[in-house]
Amino acid sequence: MANTPQARKRIRRNERRAEINGARLSRIRTFVKKVESAIAGGDKSAAAEALKAAQPELARGVARGVLHKNTASRKLSRLTKAVSGL
């Protein structure tokens, strides 16, 4: 159990941040899934639009520290390649 006031504060803060970061990550996953479903459906224009929407979300995740920059770069690269291959 946390005994110091600072440790108690850190626990409260970590709980709040975990909730926010979880929501942020879920939002990013949703955007990525929209692109993947458009690719699976074979709709190039919808996939391109979804990719255009997902790109800033991935970048925002990196800026907020939710995703590693290489992870976001890899996901974006693979999605772009898949969309251009339609």
Side-chain angles (χ1 to χ4, degrees), residues 7 13 18 21-22 29 36 49-50 52 57-58 65 77 80-81:
R13 201 248 3 222
N21 288 340
R29 280 198 209 103
E36 289 172 342
E49 282 297 314
K52 201 172 179 182
E57 286 298 323
L58 285 165
S77 175
T80 305
K81 186 177 177 183

Side-chain angles (χ1 to χ4, degrees), residues 33-49:
K33 282 178 190 174
K34 284 179 185 176
V35 180
E36 289 172 342
S37 65
I39 290 167
D43 189 356
K44 186 167 184 164
S45 62
E49 282 297 314

Side-chain angles (χ1 to χ4, degrees), residues 10-86:
R10 296 284 291 196
I11 288 169
R12 289 195 309 270
R13 201 248 3 222
N14 289 344
E15 286 172 353
R16 283 196 303 268
R17 296 311 306 169
E19 190 175 332
I20 291 165
N21 288 340
R24 208 169 259 144
L25 204 52
S26 176
R27 180 179 164 86
I28 291 167
R29 280 198 209 103
T30 302
F31 275 87
V32 171
K33 282 178 190 174
K34 284 179 185 176
V35 180
E36 289 172 342
S37 65
I39 290 167
D43 189 356
K44 186 167 184 164
S45 62
E49 282 297 314
L51 180 62
K52 201 172 179 182
Q55 189 171 355
E57 286 298 323
L58 285 165
R60 202 170 293 123
V62 171
R64 303 286 189 235
V66 178
L67 286 176
H68 192 277
K69 66 178 182 177
N70 290 358
T71 303
S73 179
R74 184 180 66 245
K75 286 181 186 292
L76 189 60
S77 175
R78 287 178 181 173
L79 289 172
T80 305
K81 186 177 177 183
V83 169
S84 64
L86 287 178

